[in-house]
Each structure stands twice: as C-alpha cells, then as structure tokens.
C-alpha cells in the first residue's frame, strides 16, 4: 500500500538561504551572464569549466579595476586624517557596490541580464588595493608632492586596517616596505586591535544581538565598533555596523534600530557566552554574499569582518578568559525532545485538534495521509535550519515570518497548509516557554495568527534577510 511522504517541491530553497534576496550576484554558474556579446552558454561551450571560470574572473576583475580607479584617485587627492580616509574609503566602496546592484537590477528588468557585469565585494577591494599599492610606491619613490604622497599613504593605511586577513597582508607588507625606504612618512597606525572588553546585549526575543568593543584608531582616540546581528534566519547576519565615539552612542543606535518592545529591559554587559558571540560575529564571505545589501551595509562589508577577526583572536571578547582560537561548538539540540515537548503542550492545550485534517488530499489511490509525527517532524526541520542550537526556543515575529516563508517555498501547497496550521501553536508554546512579556509574546502570537501588529510590517522584507527589522 502506498504511503504518503512529505511533499516537497522539486525546486525549492529555504527562506533562510541567500538566494531569496533576488540579488543578481546570487545566480548560479548556469544562470550567470557572459561577457558582452557572448552568452554564458556559448562561453562554457567554447571552453572547459576551469577556463570558463578563469575568463569569468578576469572579466570581473577588469570591471572591478575600472570602478576602483576613481575611488583611489579621489581618496589620494583628498586631505584629512587617516581615520577620515578610512571612513571615506568604506563609504566609497559602499556606494560603488550598491550602484552595481542597482544597475544590474535595472538591466535584469529590461531583459538584458545576459552580461557578466557583477563582481564581488572582495574583487572590488582587491582592485582598490592593487591600484593603491602602485600609487603609494610611485608617490614615495618618485618623491611626489607631499599632498599626493600623503594621500596615497593614508589610503594604504586604511586598506591595511579594514581588509580581512589573509588578504590584508598585501597592504600590510607594502606599509612595512615603504617605512623602510623613507622615514618622512606621516604617522599612522595599522593596528586595528581591540583595546578593551567587549559588551553585548540580546533582545527580549533572543534573536537579535548587539556586540560592541573599543578599537585603536589610526590616529586620535579609540572608537567603539558596533555589530547589529539578526539570527532569525539560517545564518546570523550583521544587518548594521559602524564606529561610534563611545559605547553609549553605539548602544543608543542599536536601541533605535531594534525598537522599544524588543529592547525592553535590555542592557549592555560583558559578554557572558564568548563562544556564541564568536560564532555570531561575521566571517569571511565568498562571491555569493547574502544579497540585498544596503549602501550602508556594503560600506561596512569588509571592515566589520576584519574587526570581527581582531576581536575573536583577542582576550577582549570575554574579559575573564582568553578566547583565541576556534570557538567551541554548541551542543546540538535533541530534536526528538523538542518535538515531544511541543506535542505534549498541544495535547494539553489543544485537545482534539489533530494536525492532519480528515480530508487531507491524497495523490494516489490507497495512499495514506501523513501522520501527526510526520507533520511535527517537518515543522521541526524548518525551525532547526538555524545554525545556532542555542536559539532552539527563541521566537520572534521575524523568525515566525521566515519559518512561514520557508514552509511555503519548500512544500507543495496542500502539505504546506497542514504544516503552517501548527505555526500559531508553535508561537504560543515558545513564547510561553521562554517567558516573554505579555506585550512581546502577544506580538509574536498575533503575527503567527495573521493578525495585524502595530509597527510590525514584515511583508516581503521577511525574504530580504539583511533588512533591519523592528519587532
């Protein structure tokens, strides 16, 4: 007798996966466009895959070099402190990358997306580094005017401070070489290490984090860097980042971004779980970055990763013990226990409410409908796409929205409706279990029920994982 299996769509992606953003940079190799006048298919057919990838990378680096030139020229000609050059470099990278996305989106809408016109953030940074190294060597060895020499030097210092390792070594080595050649270069530090204990905070829902720490500046006083991290999806994503004069201003910025309900009762304190904090902080990104970045997020794309490396490798992520090295993995959650607890809660508070309706549509004669266990298991699988077992019982409106989007994407409509029918109960159980306040828990349950919630309008933004959400 045929037995029904969970009905999954043939081509599906989790809502927590990067490809949902719609960013052109997130297309697969088979969907990527090709150099001007040549389709991706014809390019692949005329060359082996390895050669295709090399041509693709060369073309993208050519485009990145074209866009890097005005960035370098403008910053070398500018005057000011090294810290100001660093900030302006980040802003220039952000404008360029955001403009590339906007242009690619426009071409896609006009039906001309068969052009390999998108390079990665790392490719642009590499191109800027190459041009800056050349400019700095020329300015120093040719004894150029002090303004041109000093501008190239300040830009080189900025690159040595914001570029993640190991790529940072190109700028760091050039700084070292030039200092050995001449003693007349302006002062400026390339040490981007933390100088004090990191602080953090977790919002009332348990899915949004602030991490902040003081760092040495190239010149002038230390500044506090803030990571605003949303862990509602499958990965923890830094949705906001930047320098502030002190911890209080960094804190006020995070409170305003997250909203008063989610931050009620929150306070900054020394990091209590350095292993969790180390895994929440951003790591190196590959070409397929999350997608949907704002200009401000692109501006901090590299610097937030470099400073995360510095903080993780220091003793300051946890003021009590050194945390250098690989963070200890969290213990996996017992999914069977999680399911059993939820099922027991439903049996007590929803007696007689079966997860599978009597009229569940069957595709084949003699097929059996899914069991209650099937539905619970699929719901748990969707909830546990997160890479953070510590958040197994953390629930917020945004996380509920992402779960619902994942279920709709992953299953055929009839099976999805059955799994979705348990989401309101899931929200009720988790908000009760985690002891959320009446207001925060009520907003989560209302959103799961499909009720309009004041100030919570996720809508399509639930699919753009990098959009900062006020819950």
């Amino acid at each position: 007798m045929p037995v029904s299996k969970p009905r999954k769509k043939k081509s599906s992606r989790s809502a927590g996966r990067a490809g949902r953003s719609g960013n052109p940079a997130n297309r697969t190799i088979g969907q990527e466009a090709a150099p001007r006048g040549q389709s991706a298919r014809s390019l692949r057919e005329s060359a082996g895959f390895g050669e295709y990838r090399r041509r693709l990378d060369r073309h993208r680096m050519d485009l990145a070099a074209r866009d890097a030139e005005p960035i370098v020229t403008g910053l070398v000609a500018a005057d000011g402190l090294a810290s100001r050059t660093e900030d302006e470099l980040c802003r220039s990278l952000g404008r360029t990358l955001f403009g590339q996305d906007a242009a690619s989106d426009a071409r896609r809408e006009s039906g001309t997306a068969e052009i390999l016109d998108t390079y990665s953030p790392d490719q642009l940074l590499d191109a800027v580094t190459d041009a800056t190294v050349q400019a700095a060597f020329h300015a120093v060895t040719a004894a150029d005017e002090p303004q041109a020499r000093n501008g190239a030097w300040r830009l080189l210092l900025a690159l040595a401070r914001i570029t993640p390792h190991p790529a940072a070594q190109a700028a760091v080595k050039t700084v070292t070489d030039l200092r050995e050649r001449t003693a007349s270069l302006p002062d400026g530090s390339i040490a981007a290490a933390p100088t004090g204990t990191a602080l953090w905070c977790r919002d009332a829902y348990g899915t949004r984090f602030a991490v902040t720490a003081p760092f040495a500046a190239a010149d002038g006083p230390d500044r506090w860097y803030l990571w605003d991290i949303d862990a509602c999806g499958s990965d923890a994503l830094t949705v906001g980042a930047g320098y502030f004069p002190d911890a209080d201003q960094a804190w006020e910025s995070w409170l305003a971004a997250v909203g008063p309900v989610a931050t009620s009762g929150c306070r900054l304190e020394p990091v209590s779980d350095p292993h969790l904090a180390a895994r929440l902080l951003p790591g190196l990104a590959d070409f397929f970055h999350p997608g949907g970045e704002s200009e401000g997020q692109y501006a901090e794309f590299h610097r937030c990763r470099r400073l995360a490396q510095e903080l993780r490798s220091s003793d300051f992520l946890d003021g009590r013990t050194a945390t250098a090295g690989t963070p200890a993995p969290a213990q996996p959650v017992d999914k069977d226990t999680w399911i059993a607890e939820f099922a027991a809660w439903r049996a007590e508070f929803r007696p007689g409410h079966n997860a599978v309706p009597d009229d569940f549509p069957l595709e084949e004669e003699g097929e059996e409908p899914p069991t209650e266990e099937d539905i619970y298991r699929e719901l748990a699988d969707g909830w546990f796409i997160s890479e953070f077992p510590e958040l197994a019982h953390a629930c917020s409106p945004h996380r509920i929205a992402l779960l619902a989007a994942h279920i709709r994407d992953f299953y055929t409509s009839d099976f999805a409706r059955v799994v979705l029918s348990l989401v309101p109960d899931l929200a009720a159980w988790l908000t009760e279990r985690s002891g959320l306040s009446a207001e925060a828990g009520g907003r989560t349950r209302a959103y799961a029920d499909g009720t309009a919630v004041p100030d919570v309008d996720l809508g399509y933004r639930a699919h753009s994982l990098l959009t900062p959400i006020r819950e």
Side-chain angles (χ1 to χ4, degrees):
M1 178 178 295
V3 177
S4 177
K5 296 181 179 180
R7 299 176 185 173
K8 301 174 183 177
K9 293 181 178 178
K10 292 182 179 179
S11 178
S12 58
R13 289 183 295 184
S14 163
R17 301 304 179 194
R20 288 199 50 80
S21 70
N23 190 298
N26 289 331
R27 288 170 289 187
T28 63
I29 293 298
Q31 295 170 317
E32 285 173 330
R36 286 169 171 76
Q38 188 175 16
S39 70
R41 177 178 296 177
S42 64
L43 179 58
R44 288 197 305 275
E45 290 174 350
S46 64
F49 184 78
E51 178 61 22
Y52 166 67
R53 284 301 318 184
R54 285 189 289 273
R55 292 186 191 180
L56 188 61
D57 287 340
R58 284 197 299 270
H59 180 73
R60 284 174 169 155
M61 283 305 300
D62 288 343
L63 295 176
R66 177 201 64 191
D67 290 348
E69 182 179 354
I71 295 176
V72 174
T73 300
L75 291 175
V76 167
D79 199 2
L81 298 174
S83 294
R84 180 178 176 182
T85 299
E86 178 183 324
D87 292 342
E88 186 53 41
L89 168 61
C90 291
R91 285 190 287 267
S92 297
L93 293 169
R95 284 192 297 269
T96 302
L97 291 166
F98 186 72
Q100 174 187 233
D101 283 357
S104 295
D105 288 345
R107 278 189 286 269
R108 188 177 67 253
E109 291 175 1
S110 66
T112 58
E114 282 292 323
I115 297 176
L116 287 174
D117 54 0
T118 54
Y119 45 77
S120 72
D122 283 346
Q123 287 172 323
L124 177 61
L125 187 64
D126 288 345
V128 170
T129 300
D130 291 344
T132 302
V133 167
Q134 294 180 26
F137 264 111
H138 175 78
V140 171
T141 58
D144 279 1
E145 292 295 325
Q147 181 175 348
R149 183 199 64 184
N150 294 349
W153 176 250
R154 285 191 298 268
L155 181 54
L156 187 63
L157 295 179
L159 284 164
R161 292 174 54 83
I162 74 162
T163 304
H165 296 298
Q169 293 311 304
V172 171
K173 185 178 185 303
T174 305
V175 169
T176 302
D177 291 346
L178 291 179
R179 277 179 170 158
E180 292 175 351
R181 285 172 177 259
T182 178
S184 62
L185 291 170
D187 292 335
S189 172
I190 60 172
T195 58
T197 302
L199 305 175
W200 82 337
C201 180
R202 186 173 181 173
D203 77 346
Y205 297 110
T207 56
R208 187 84 167 262
F209 296 80
V211 179
T212 185
F215 286 85
D219 46 36
D222 295 352
R223 297 191 292 177
W224 285 74
Y225 198 81
L226 170 73
W227 293 266
D228 177 0
I229 302 166
D230 191 328
C232 284
S234 59
D235 304 312
L237 295 177
T238 300
V239 297
Y243 268 126
F244 294 86
D246 53 48
D248 288 339
Q249 292 187 50
W251 172 239
E252 290 297 328
S253 173
W254 187 77
L255 293 176
V258 180
V261 175
T263 59
S264 176
C266 294
R267 61 188 178 91
L268 278 179
E269 58 187 6
V271 176
S272 57
D273 187 344
H275 299 303
L276 173 59
R279 288 183 292 115
L280 288 167
L281 289 169
L284 294 179
D286 58 18
F287 187 89
F288 298 97
H289 53 94
E293 288 88 348
S294 67
E295 184 174 324
Q297 288 165 342
Y298 269 137
E300 297 298 329
F301 188 93
H302 304 287
R303 183 159 62 178
C304 79
R305 288 167 171 79
R306 167 60 181 275
L307 296 183
Q309 289 178 329
E310 298 287 346
L311 184 56
R312 271 193 293 260
S313 63
S314 75
D315 292 346
F316 290 117
L317 190 55
D318 177 4
R320 297 162 298 179
T321 57
T323 58
T326 304
Q331 294 299 314
V333 176
D334 187 339
K335 193 181 297 185
D336 291 336
T337 300
W338 189 93
I339 292 172
E341 287 185 19
F342 179 43
W345 183 92
R346 287 196 77 243
E348 179 179 356
F349 294 99
R350 304 289 188 268
H353 288 250
N354 295 328
V356 184
D358 294 335
D359 59 350
F360 183 85
L362 303 177
E363 295 181 343
E364 300 178 21
E365 184 178 351
E367 179 186 32
E368 293 182 359
T371 65
E372 298 279 307
E373 174 65 21
D374 291 334
I375 303 302
Y376 283 122
R377 180 67 56 181
E378 295 302 315
L379 179 68
D381 287 345
W383 191 252
F384 282 92
I385 60 174
S386 170
E387 297 181 359
F388 296 90
E390 298 94 336
L391 309 185
H393 299 99
C395 187
S396 71
H398 188 202
R399 193 170 184 189
I400 288 294
L402 290 174
L403 172 67
H406 162 74
I407 292 169
R408 293 188 186 100
D409 278 0
F410 201 67
Y411 301 102
T412 57
S413 57
D414 56 344
F415 198 91
R417 280 192 295 270
V418 175
V419 181
L420 284 169
S421 69
L422 290 185
V423 170
D425 285 352
L426 177 67
W429 171 58
L430 290 174
T431 54
E432 177 185 297
R433 190 185 189 284
S434 58
L436 281 179
S437 69
E439 184 174 15
R443 289 162 77 91
T444 303
R445 292 191 297 273
Y447 196 84
D449 288 332
T451 304
V453 181
D455 303 324
V456 179
D457 180 21
L458 298 177
Y460 73 93
R461 297 192 302 164
H463 295 184
S464 182
L465 300 181
L466 281 169
T467 301
I469 302 295
R470 286 171 61 94
E471 298 181 280

